[in-house]
Amino acid sequence: MKKVLIMEDELNIRSFVVINLKRAGYDVIEAGDGQEALDAIAANPDAGVAILDIMVPGDMDGFEVCRRIRATNKQMGIIMLTARTQEMDKVTGLMTGADDYVTKPFSPAELTARVDALMRRSGGAEPEEKAGELVSPPFTLNLRNRTLEKNGERVKLTQVEYSLMKLFMENPGKALSREEILDTVWGHDYFGELKIVDVNIRRLRLKIEDDTANPTYITTVWGFGYKWGE
């Protein structure tokens, strides 16, 4: 059964999430603070998605737990859960390695759809007939292993970042709108905002560009979206 971690200190909210995810067919692991969450992940390395509340008691907030997960696990899907609506919280969560965020109050259908999308994305290699490589010097994207190399050196990507690279490298020179990127990478049933595209591309640029102030691989098409190459 597919495993999901929920880190939430408010028991009523956690129970609500657990019930709905179990109804959707997930095995749910519960944690009330950051250390419990990290211990639970260590004990359940096959967990595919972590839902992290930003504000939890103890020494580690959701941002720090996200950083620590990403330090050792690039594959796990991470959703930040927060009652705050400030734009900076969303950006901070995504820049620390989260794939998505959900703001309280939320519907169970919305959260389950986000979990489903991340679980599909981290579900393994491409089908056999699609296995191979995409090459756009100095980058090589291995579709079987879902890995990226730049000048022969491995670049560690999250699953969202891998999906973005795949989309760009499959469409060299084509201007892709934010809406098209959102639909392709996050799915047609995604409930969130277009800003998640911009923040994830900003994070990806930090990993692949020689000069993030003057990106040459993922270039901006002002007022529209992005494209691969000049």
Side-chain angles (χ1 to χ4, degrees), residues 14-228:
R14 195 167 83 218
S15 299
F16 169 74
V17 171
V18 169
I19 288 169
N20 284 283
L21 287 175
K22 284 185 174 178
R23 284 176 180 165
Y26 290 104
D27 181 11
V28 187
I29 308 154
E30 300 181 54
D33 60 36
Q35 191 58 56
E36 280 186 22
L38 293 176
D39 291 344
I41 290 171
N44 296 272
D46 56 338
V49 172
I51 304 167
L52 308 176
D53 187 26
I54 291 177
M55 297 298 295
V56 290
D59 297 331
M60 285 185 282
D61 61 10
F63 296 139
E64 181 59 24
V65 174
C66 180
R67 288 189 193 97
R68 295 196 184 193
I69 292 173
R70 276 291 176 252
T72 58
N73 189 327
K74 302 297 180 185
Q75 305 301 310
M76 177 179 285
I78 299 177
I79 299 172
M80 304 303 291
L81 194 62
T82 177
R84 296 182 288 179
T85 57
Q86 286 92 336
E87 207 62 35
M88 188 51 63
D89 284 336
K90 299 173 183 178
V91 172
T92 301
L94 292 168
M95 291 305 288
T96 55
D99 299 295
D100 202 354
Y101 56 82
V102 174
T103 303
K104 303 173 189 174
F106 54 86
S107 73
E110 176 185 4
L111 183 60
T112 301
R114 305 285 185 92
V115 172
D116 287 344
L118 286 179
M119 195 67 77
R120 284 195 301 270
R121 193 175 297 120
S122 61
E126 297 290 311
E128 186 69 26
E129 65 271 19
K130 294 184 181 178
E133 291 181 341
L134 292 174
V135 178
S136 178
F139 298 99
T140 300
L141 192 70
N142 187 304
L143 303 181
R144 181 188 295 273
N145 299 326
R146 301 171 77 89
T147 56
L148 176 69
E149 291 185 353
K150 179 182 179 182
N151 292 317
E153 297 291 327
R154 178 71 61 87
V155 180
K156 293 183 178 180
L157 301 179
T158 67
Q159 288 301 313
V160 165
E161 291 162 355
Y162 167 83
S163 297
L164 285 169
M165 283 296 298
K166 183 172 181 288
L167 175 62
F168 282 123
M169 291 178 69
E170 285 177 335
N171 295 276
K174 178 184 177 183
L176 300 168
S177 70
R178 287 175 174 83
E179 292 83 0
E180 184 176 356
I181 295 169
L182 191 73
D183 283 348
T184 303
V185 175
W186 281 268
H188 294 285
D189 55 354
Y190 181 74
F191 289 84
E193 307 168 27
L194 283 174
K195 182 168 288 293
I196 196 171
V197 173
D198 300 320
V199 178
N200 273 276
I201 286 177
R202 186 191 313 173
R203 195 174 73 194
L204 180 57
R205 279 172 166 167
L206 289 171
K207 296 184 177 184
I208 70 167
E209 295 286 352
D210 300 316
D211 179 5
T212 54
N214 296 288
T216 58
Y217 302 120
I218 300 175
T219 57
T220 300
V221 182
W222 295 107
F224 184 75
Y226 302 91
K227 69 176 179 176
W228 184 252

